[in-house]
PDB file of all heavy atoms in Angstrom:
ATOM      1  N   PRO A   9      -8.639   0.492 -24.305  1.00  0.00           N
ATOM      2  CA  PRO A   9      -7.389   0.192 -25.038  1.00  0.00           C
ATOM      3  C   PRO A   9      -7.543  -0.855 -26.186  1.00  0.00           C
ATOM      4  O   PRO A   9      -8.259  -1.786 -25.967  1.00  0.00           O
ATOM      5  CB  PRO A   9      -6.465  -0.205 -23.876  1.00  0.00           C
ATOM      6  CG  PRO A   9      -7.335  -0.953 -22.953  1.00  0.00           C
ATOM      7  CD  PRO A   9      -8.635  -0.273 -22.946  1.00  0.00           C
ATOM      8  N   LEU A  10      -6.834  -0.528 -27.284  1.00  0.00           N
ATOM      9  CA  LEU A  10      -6.944  -1.486 -28.366  1.00  0.00           C
ATOM     10  C   LEU A  10      -5.549  -1.817 -28.857  1.00  0.00           C
ATOM     11  O   LEU A  10      -4.738  -0.979 -29.207  1.00  0.00           O
ATOM     12  CB  LEU A  10      -7.611  -0.860 -29.540  1.00  0.00           C
ATOM     13  CG  LEU A  10      -9.150  -0.370 -29.360  1.00  0.00           C
ATOM     14  CD1 LEU A  10      -9.473   0.440 -30.603  1.00  0.00           C
ATOM     15  CD2 LEU A  10      -9.927  -1.645 -29.209  1.00  0.00           C
ATOM     16  N   TYR A  11      -5.218  -3.193 -28.878  1.00  0.00           N
ATOM     17  CA  TYR A  11      -3.956  -3.525 -29.435  1.00  0.00           C
ATOM     18  C   TYR A  11      -4.335  -4.771 -30.343  1.00  0.00           C
ATOM     19  O   TYR A  11      -4.645  -5.765 -29.850  1.00  0.00           O
ATOM     20  CB  TYR A  11      -3.029  -3.967 -28.420  1.00  0.00           C
ATOM     21  CG  TYR A  11      -1.708  -4.554 -28.905  1.00  0.00           C
ATOM     22  CD1 TYR A  11      -0.925  -3.659 -29.823  1.00  0.00           C
ATOM     23  CD2 TYR A  11      -1.187  -5.616 -28.433  1.00  0.00           C
ATOM     24  CE1 TYR A  11       0.248  -4.144 -30.273  1.00  0.00           C
ATOM     25  CE2 TYR A  11       0.091  -6.072 -28.947  1.00  0.00           C
ATOM     26  CZ  TYR A  11       0.737  -5.382 -29.820  1.00  0.00           C
ATOM     27  OH  TYR A  11       1.919  -5.817 -30.347  1.00  0.00           O
ATOM     28  N   GLU A  13      -6.903  -5.434 -32.297  1.00  0.00           N
ATOM     29  CA  GLU A  13      -8.292  -6.015 -32.026  1.00  0.00           C
ATOM     30  C   GLU A  13      -9.193  -5.884 -33.186  1.00  0.00           C
ATOM     31  O   GLU A  13     -10.426  -5.574 -33.028  1.00  0.00           O
ATOM     32  CB  GLU A  13      -8.838  -5.216 -30.798  1.00  0.00           C
ATOM     33  CG  GLU A  13      -8.072  -5.321 -29.480  1.00  0.00           C
ATOM     34  CD  GLU A  13      -8.200  -6.621 -28.814  1.00  0.00           C
ATOM     35  OE1 GLU A  13      -8.707  -7.568 -29.447  1.00  0.00           O
ATOM     36  OE2 GLU A  13      -7.670  -6.791 -27.665  1.00  0.00           O
ATOM     37  N   ASP A  42      -3.063   1.232 -29.151  1.00  0.00           N
ATOM     38  CA  ASP A  42      -1.746   1.116 -28.638  1.00  0.00           C
ATOM     39  C   ASP A  42      -0.814   0.399 -29.672  1.00  0.00           C
ATOM     40  O   ASP A  42      -0.348  -0.635 -29.502  1.00  0.00           O
ATOM     41  CB  ASP A  42      -1.957   0.162 -27.339  1.00  0.00           C
ATOM     42  CG  ASP A  42      -0.642   0.004 -26.571  1.00  0.00           C
ATOM     43  OD1 ASP A  42       0.327   0.741 -26.893  1.00  0.00           O
ATOM     44  OD2 ASP A  42      -0.564  -0.897 -25.776  1.00  0.00           O
ATOM     45  N   ASN A  70       3.555   0.489 -29.690  1.00  0.00           N
ATOM     46  CA  ASN A  70       2.944  -0.201 -28.579  1.00  0.00           C
ATOM     47  C   ASN A  70       3.618   0.284 -27.304  1.00  0.00           C
ATOM     48  O   ASN A  70       4.765   0.014 -26.990  1.00  0.00           O
ATOM     49  CB  ASN A  70       3.115  -1.715 -28.706  1.00  0.00           C
ATOM     50  CG  ASN A  70       2.524  -2.513 -27.637  1.00  0.00           C
ATOM     51  OD1 ASN A  70       3.172  -3.221 -26.878  1.00  0.00           O
ATOM     52  ND2 ASN A  70       1.190  -2.420 -27.576  1.00  0.00           N
ATOM     53  N   GLY A  72       1.981  -0.455 -24.319  1.00  0.00           N
ATOM     54  CA  GLY A  72       1.365  -1.296 -23.216  1.00  0.00           C
ATOM     55  C   GLY A  72       0.083  -0.897 -22.683  1.00  0.00           C
ATOM     56  O   GLY A  72      -0.283   0.332 -22.642  1.00  0.00           O
ATOM     57  N   HIS A  73      -0.711  -1.878 -22.244  1.00  0.00           N
ATOM     58  CA  HIS A  73      -2.024  -1.744 -21.719  1.00  0.00           C
ATOM     59  C   HIS A  73      -2.073  -0.652 -20.669  1.00  0.00           C
ATOM     60  O   HIS A  73      -3.052   0.180 -20.721  1.00  0.00           O
ATOM     61  CB  HIS A  73      -2.477  -3.147 -21.183  1.00  0.00           C
ATOM     62  CG  HIS A  73      -3.726  -3.145 -20.565  1.00  0.00           C
ATOM     63  ND1 HIS A  73      -4.000  -3.810 -19.388  1.00  0.00           N
ATOM     64  CD2 HIS A  73      -5.003  -2.663 -20.911  1.00  0.00           C
ATOM     65  CE1 HIS A  73      -5.240  -3.724 -18.984  1.00  0.00           C
ATOM     66  NE2 HIS A  73      -5.905  -3.018 -19.950  1.00  0.00           N
ATOM     67  N   ALA A  76      -1.750   2.767 -21.892  1.00  0.00           N
ATOM     68  CA  ALA A  76      -2.952   3.120 -22.740  1.00  0.00           C
ATOM     69  C   ALA A  76      -4.073   3.597 -21.876  1.00  0.00           C
ATOM     70  O   ALA A  76      -4.621   4.597 -22.199  1.00  0.00           O
ATOM     71  CB  ALA A  76      -3.368   1.945 -23.611  1.00  0.00           C
ATOM     72  N   ASP A  93     -11.846  -3.526 -21.043  1.00  0.00           N
ATOM     73  CA  ASP A  93     -11.199  -4.105 -22.106  1.00  0.00           C
ATOM     74  C   ASP A  93     -12.042  -4.142 -23.492  1.00  0.00           C
ATOM     75  O   ASP A  93     -13.215  -4.037 -23.365  1.00  0.00           O
ATOM     76  CB  ASP A  93     -10.827  -5.575 -21.826  1.00  0.00           C
ATOM     77  CG  ASP A  93      -9.739  -5.713 -20.798  1.00  0.00           C
ATOM     78  OD1 ASP A  93      -9.124  -4.616 -20.458  1.00  0.00           O
ATOM     79  OD2 ASP A  93      -9.424  -6.795 -20.391  1.00  0.00           O
ATOM     80  N   ALA A  94     -11.314  -4.282 -24.576  1.00  0.00           N
ATOM     81  CA  ALA A  94     -12.080  -4.233 -25.864  1.00  0.00           C
ATOM     82  C   ALA A  94     -12.715  -5.590 -26.178  1.00  0.00           C
ATOM     83  O   ALA A  94     -13.635  -5.627 -26.962  1.00  0.00           O
ATOM     84  CB  ALA A  94     -11.073  -3.736 -26.924  1.00  0.00           C
ATOM     85  N   ASP A  95     -12.183  -6.656 -25.588  1.00  0.00           N
ATOM     86  CA  ASP A  95     -12.539  -7.988 -26.111  1.00  0.00           C
ATOM     87  C   ASP A  95     -13.866  -8.559 -25.545  1.00  0.00           C
ATOM     88  O   ASP A  95     -14.185  -9.675 -25.706  1.00  0.00           O
ATOM     89  CB  ASP A  95     -11.392  -8.984 -25.850  1.00  0.00           C
ATOM     90  CG  ASP A  95     -11.132  -9.115 -24.312  1.00  0.00           C
ATOM     91  OD1 ASP A  95     -11.793  -8.333 -23.518  1.00  0.00           O
ATOM     92  OD2 ASP A  95     -10.209  -9.782 -23.906  1.00  0.00           O
ATOM     93  N   GLN A  97     -14.670  -9.193 -22.627  1.00  0.00           N
ATOM     94  CA  GLN A  97     -14.704 -10.069 -21.534  1.00  0.00           C
ATOM     95  C   GLN A  97     -15.291  -9.423 -20.349  1.00  0.00           C
ATOM     96  O   GLN A  97     -15.806 -10.015 -19.408  1.00  0.00           O
ATOM     97  CB  GLN A  97     -13.159 -10.442 -21.212  1.00  0.00           C
ATOM     98  CG  GLN A  97     -12.655 -11.539 -22.112  1.00  0.00           C
ATOM     99  CD  GLN A  97     -11.306 -12.082 -21.418  1.00  0.00           C
ATOM    100  OE1 GLN A  97     -10.324 -11.434 -21.445  1.00  0.00           O
ATOM    101  NE2 GLN A  97     -11.378 -13.304 -20.956  1.00  0.00           N
ATOM    102  N   GLU A 127     -11.000 -18.993 -19.852  1.00  0.00           N
ATOM    103  CA  GLU A 127      -9.555 -18.683 -19.748  1.00  0.00           C
ATOM    104  C   GLU A 127      -8.914 -19.986 -19.359  1.00  0.00           C
ATOM    105  O   GLU A 127      -9.490 -20.837 -18.605  1.00  0.00           O
ATOM    106  CB  GLU A 127      -9.322 -17.634 -18.704  1.00  0.00           C
ATOM    107  CG  GLU A 127      -9.744 -16.232 -19.400  1.00  0.00           C
ATOM    108  CD  GLU A 127      -9.644 -15.055 -18.451  1.00  0.00           C
ATOM    109  OE1 GLU A 127     -10.276 -15.171 -17.443  1.00  0.00           O
ATOM    110  OE2 GLU A 127      -9.006 -14.096 -18.764  1.00  0.00           O
ATOM    111  N   LYS A 131      -3.796 -19.578 -16.635  1.00  0.00           N
ATOM    112  CA  LYS A 131      -4.054 -18.115 -16.387  1.00  0.00           C
ATOM    113  C   LYS A 131      -4.794 -17.861 -15.057  1.00  0.00           C
ATOM    114  O   LYS A 131      -4.489 -16.980 -14.340  1.00  0.00           O
ATOM    115  CB  LYS A 131      -4.749 -17.543 -17.631  1.00  0.00           C
ATOM    116  CG  LYS A 131      -5.056 -16.079 -17.491  1.00  0.00           C
ATOM    117  CD  LYS A 131      -4.786 -15.249 -18.699  1.00  0.00           C
ATOM    118  CE  LYS A 131      -4.868 -13.767 -18.511  1.00  0.00           C
ATOM    119  NZ  LYS A 131      -4.344 -12.964 -19.514  1.00  0.00           N
ATOM    120  N   ARG A 196     -16.851 -12.778 -15.775  1.00  0.00           N
ATOM    121  CA  ARG A 196     -16.029 -12.439 -16.819  1.00  0.00           C
ATOM    122  C   ARG A 196     -16.286 -13.363 -17.951  1.00  0.00           C
ATOM    123  O   ARG A 196     -16.028 -14.675 -17.768  1.00  0.00           O
ATOM    124  CB  ARG A 196     -14.479 -12.518 -16.366  1.00  0.00           C
ATOM    125  CG  ARG A 196     -13.535 -11.884 -17.361  1.00  0.00           C
ATOM    126  CD  ARG A 196     -12.235 -11.561 -16.638  1.00  0.00           C
ATOM    127  NE  ARG A 196     -11.153 -11.435 -17.576  1.00  0.00           N
ATOM    128  CZ  ARG A 196     -10.784 -10.335 -18.122  1.00  0.00           C
ATOM    129  NH1 ARG A 196     -11.437  -9.227 -17.878  1.00  0.00           N
ATOM    130  NH2 ARG A 196      -9.684 -10.334 -18.872  1.00  0.00           N
ATOM    131  N   ARG A 199     -13.327 -14.261 -24.259  1.00  0.00           N
ATOM    132  CA  ARG A 199     -13.029 -13.393 -25.214  1.00  0.00           C
ATOM    133  C   ARG A 199     -13.911 -13.486 -26.503  1.00  0.00           C
ATOM    134  O   ARG A 199     -14.107 -14.549 -26.911  1.00  0.00           O
ATOM    135  CB  ARG A 199     -11.493 -13.514 -25.669  1.00  0.00           C
ATOM    136  CG  ARG A 199     -10.911 -12.427 -26.496  1.00  0.00           C
ATOM    137  CD  ARG A 199      -9.400 -12.829 -26.652  1.00  0.00           C
ATOM    138  NE  ARG A 199      -8.622 -11.648 -26.252  1.00  0.00           N
ATOM    139  CZ  ARG A 199      -8.492 -10.469 -26.978  1.00  0.00           C
ATOM    140  NH1 ARG A 199      -9.088 -10.391 -28.077  1.00  0.00           N
ATOM    141  NH2 ARG A 199      -7.740  -9.471 -26.473  1.00  0.00           N
ATOM    142  N   THR A 204      -5.496 -13.613 -26.679  1.00  0.00           N
ATOM    143  CA  THR A 204      -5.129 -12.722 -25.691  1.00  0.00           C
ATOM    144  C   THR A 204      -3.942 -11.945 -26.167  1.00  0.00           C
ATOM    145  O   THR A 204      -3.010 -12.285 -26.852  1.00  0.00           O
ATOM    146  CB  THR A 204      -4.725 -13.402 -24.364  1.00  0.00           C
ATOM    147  OG1 THR A 204      -4.269 -12.467 -23.443  1.00  0.00           O
ATOM    148  CG2 THR A 204      -3.694 -14.528 -24.627  1.00  0.00           C
ATOM    149  N   LYS A 205      -3.923 -10.637 -25.811  1.00  0.00           N
ATOM    150  CA  LYS A 205      -2.775  -9.699 -26.108  1.00  0.00           C
ATOM    151  C   LYS A 205      -1.839  -9.607 -24.936  1.00  0.00           C
ATOM    152  O   LYS A 205      -0.941  -8.705 -24.774  1.00  0.00           O
ATOM    153  CB  LYS A 205      -3.263  -8.372 -26.434  1.00  0.00           C
ATOM    154  CG  LYS A 205      -4.282  -8.400 -27.708  1.00  0.00           C
ATOM    155  CD  LYS A 205      -3.755  -9.040 -28.937  1.00  0.00           C
ATOM    156  CE  LYS A 205      -4.694  -9.073 -30.020  1.00  0.00           C
ATOM    157  NZ  LYS A 205      -5.937  -9.768 -29.826  1.00  0.00           N
ATOM    158  N   TYR A 206      -2.050 -10.520 -23.922  1.00  0.00           N
ATOM    159  CA  TYR A 206      -1.273 -10.611 -22.670  1.00  0.00           C
ATOM    160  C   TYR A 206      -0.547 -11.917 -22.656  1.00  0.00           C
ATOM    161  O   TYR A 206      -0.882 -12.741 -21.771  1.00  0.00           O
ATOM    162  CB  TYR A 206      -2.170 -10.378 -21.385  1.00  0.00           C
ATOM    163  CG  TYR A 206      -2.003  -9.029 -20.803  1.00  0.00           C
ATOM    164  CD1 TYR A 206      -2.907  -8.011 -21.044  1.00  0.00           C
ATOM    165  CD2 TYR A 206      -0.885  -8.820 -19.984  1.00  0.00           C
ATOM    166  CE1 TYR A 206      -2.771  -6.798 -20.444  1.00  0.00           C
ATOM    167  CE2 TYR A 206      -0.737  -7.504 -19.362  1.00  0.00           C
ATOM    168  CZ  TYR A 206      -1.723  -6.579 -19.651  1.00  0.00           C
ATOM    169  OH  TYR A 206      -1.588  -5.330 -19.036  1.00  0.00           O
ATOM    170  N   LYS A 210       4.310 -10.341 -20.764  1.00  0.00           N
ATOM    171  CA  LYS A 210       3.656  -9.145 -20.307  1.00  0.00           C
ATOM    172  C   LYS A 210       2.977  -9.374 -18.944  1.00  0.00           C
ATOM    173  O   LYS A 210       3.000  -8.429 -18.212  1.00  0.00           O
ATOM    174  CB  LYS A 210       2.616  -8.705 -21.317  1.00  0.00           C
ATOM    175  CG  LYS A 210       3.158  -8.009 -22.591  1.00  0.00           C
ATOM    176  CD  LYS A 210       2.091  -7.435 -23.459  1.00  0.00           C
ATOM    177  CE  LYS A 210       2.689  -6.800 -24.713  1.00  0.00           C
ATOM    178  NZ  LYS A 210       1.748  -6.392 -25.625  1.00  0.00           N
TER     179      LYS A 210
HETATM  180  N1  UDP B   1      -3.893  -4.249 -24.783  1.00  0.00           N
HETATM  181  C1  UDP B   1      -3.229  -3.022 -25.080  1.00  0.00           C
HETATM  182  N2  UDP B   1      -1.871  -3.137 -25.204  1.00  0.00           N
HETATM  183  C2  UDP B   1      -1.140  -4.329 -24.995  1.00  0.00           C
HETATM  184  C3  UDP B   1      -1.800  -5.430 -24.622  1.00  0.00           C
HETATM  185  C4  UDP B   1      -3.254  -5.375 -24.489  1.00  0.00           C
HETATM  186  O1  UDP B   1      -3.820  -2.010 -25.280  1.00  0.00           O
HETATM  187  O2  UDP B   1       0.045  -4.262 -25.156  1.00  0.00           O
HETATM  188  C5  UDP B   1      -5.418  -4.201 -24.649  1.00  0.00           C
HETATM  189  C6  UDP B   1      -6.261  -5.110 -25.381  1.00  0.00           C
HETATM  190  O3  UDP B   1      -6.429  -4.700 -26.684  1.00  0.00           O
HETATM  191  C7  UDP B   1      -7.404  -5.319 -24.609  1.00  0.00           C
HETATM  192  C8  UDP B   1      -6.900  -5.156 -23.182  1.00  0.00           C
HETATM  193  O4  UDP B   1      -5.745  -4.517 -23.210  1.00  0.00           O
HETATM  194  O5  UDP B   1      -8.388  -4.361 -24.894  1.00  0.00           O
HETATM  195  C9  UDP B   1      -6.801  -6.404 -22.431  1.00  0.00           C
HETATM  196  O6  UDP B   1      -6.004  -7.320 -23.152  1.00  0.00           O
HETATM  197  P1  UDP B   1      -6.419  -8.887 -23.250  1.00  0.00           P
HETATM  198  O7  UDP B   1      -7.895  -9.005 -23.327  1.00  0.00           O
HETATM  199  O8  UDP B   1      -5.624  -9.470 -24.433  1.00  0.00           O
HETATM  200  O9  UDP B   1      -5.852  -9.475 -21.917  1.00  0.00           O
HETATM  201  P2  UDP B   1      -6.498 -10.720 -21.094  1.00  0.00           P
HETATM  202  O10 UDP B   1      -8.006 -10.389 -21.004  1.00  0.00           O
HETATM  203  O11 UDP B   1      -6.175 -11.885 -21.850  1.00  0.00           O
HETATM  204  O12 UDP B   1      -5.763 -10.655 -19.715  1.00  0.00           O
END
Side-chain angles (χ1 to χ4, degrees):
L10 297 171
Y11 179 53
E13 300 286 10
D42 186 13
N70 181 248
H73 175 225
D93 288 353
D95 59 0
Q97 281 197 286
E127 285 177 303
K131 178 139 190 166
R196 191 159 159 93
R199 191 174 235 285
T204 176
K205 305 300 179 302
Y206 253 101
K210 283 190 181 171

